[in-house]
Amino acid sequence: MKKLTIALVMIAVLTTGAFAQIALGVTGAQYYQEDEYGNMPSLKEAWADFQDGTGVYWGGFGEIILGKMGVGIAFNQQTYVNEPDRDFDMWNYDVNLYLSYHIFGGSAFIDPFLEAGFGVNAYDYKNKDKLVEKYPTYTWSDDPLMGSSYVGIGAGIGINLGSVGIFTKVLWNKQSDEPLYTNGNEFESPIPELPIMPLKWFFGAKILL
């Protein structure tokens, strides 16, 4: 994961120039698995869940677009509130590094695009830094309680009006057979897996710089 992040930064530096665009945005993501009939939700069903606020993972993304190609990083999370002690809030978080191909270019009025990337989905204490200070005698790990890596491919469509835009996309995900390891070291203990939802619908808004 660290090597992939370094590679992303290097690509971003190399591609940033006079002809590159930067897209920054916010997203709401809906995670799904098959229902009892083996079906996945449609765009209409996912949009209804999003409007109701059902299971939304909120987050944001940044993408550098050079012509039709883009490289980006996205982050989404859902917090589970613990009352009365908010220091023990839990969260699921999803970090995704991706490449995109904008068929008509990233600033086109109608912006259909393809996307593929790698990600990590994890479950952990949200305020671990505070817990370390509050309970210093307990051994806290930097690793999440549960986590898994995955690959994802998908497609989406957006509408751009000058420097602002809206979009929706769908990603199909496949969990890696290789577990995550403590301290990122394969010679140490594997981290308990977090099952990856096979489908994600996104609804978002962005600005183009």
Side-chain angles (χ1 to χ4, degrees):
M1 189 69 181
K2 291 181 180 178
K3 292 181 180 179
L4 191 59
T5 303
I6 293 172
L8 177 69
V9 173
M10 291 178 65
I11 293 172
V13 171
L14 292 173
T15 57
T16 302
F19 300 103
Q21 282 186 316
I22 297 177
L24 300 174
V26 295
T27 57
Q30 307 283 136
Y31 292 62
Y32 294 103
Q33 56 187 352
E34 294 179 347
D35 62 20
E36 62 270 27
Y37 303 107
N39 299 319
M40 293 290 191
S42 64
L43 172 60
K44 181 179 179 181
E45 292 169 322
W47 175 244
D49 287 340
F50 178 76
Q51 290 179 301
D52 291 338
T54 303
V56 180
Y57 282 59
W58 293 104
F61 73 96
E63 182 177 342
I64 295 175
I65 305 171
L66 186 61
K68 295 182 178 182
M69 295 297 299
V71 57
I73 182 169
F75 178 85
N76 290 83
Q77 65 85 30
Q78 186 179 56
T79 298
Y80 304 97
V81 175
N82 181 76
E83 297 289 1
D85 191 346
R86 293 297 305 275
D87 287 346
F88 283 93
D89 283 359
M90 309 296 291
W91 68 342
N92 274 337
Y93 61 87
D94 187 352
V95 183
N96 178 254
L97 308 176
Y98 64 88
L99 295 175
S100 63
Y101 179 75
H102 298 263
I103 296 172
F104 302 137
S107 60
F109 172 61
I110 301 295
D111 178 23
F113 58 91
L114 305 174
E115 186 175 307
F118 304 86
V120 170
N121 200 337
Y123 176 75
D124 202 6
Y125 294 103
K126 187 174 185 178
N127 304 305
K128 191 173 285 185
D129 290 342
K130 291 183 179 179
L131 294 176
V132 171
E133 295 177 2
K134 195 170 182 179
Y135 304 98
T137 59
Y138 185 81
T139 302
W140 298 96
S141 171
D142 291 333
D143 298 305
L145 298 175
M146 302 173 67
S148 296
S149 60
Y150 65 91
V151 295
I153 59 171
I157 189 167
I159 297 176
N160 298 313
L161 297 173
S163 61
V164 298
I166 58 174
F167 65 92
T168 184
K169 66 180 180 180
V170 60
L171 296 179
W172 290 268
N173 308 298
K174 178 173 174 54
Q175 184 171 330
S176 171
D177 293 330
E178 184 72 13
L180 299 177
Y181 290 93
T182 303
N183 298 319
N185 188 334
E186 61 181 299
F187 297 105
E188 298 198 25
S189 301
I191 295 171
E193 73 166 9
L194 180 66
I196 298 296
M197 293 288 191
L199 186 73
K200 292 187 286 191
W201 278 102
F202 288 83
F203 303 97
K206 63 184 178 182
I207 57 173
L208 294 169
L209 304 177

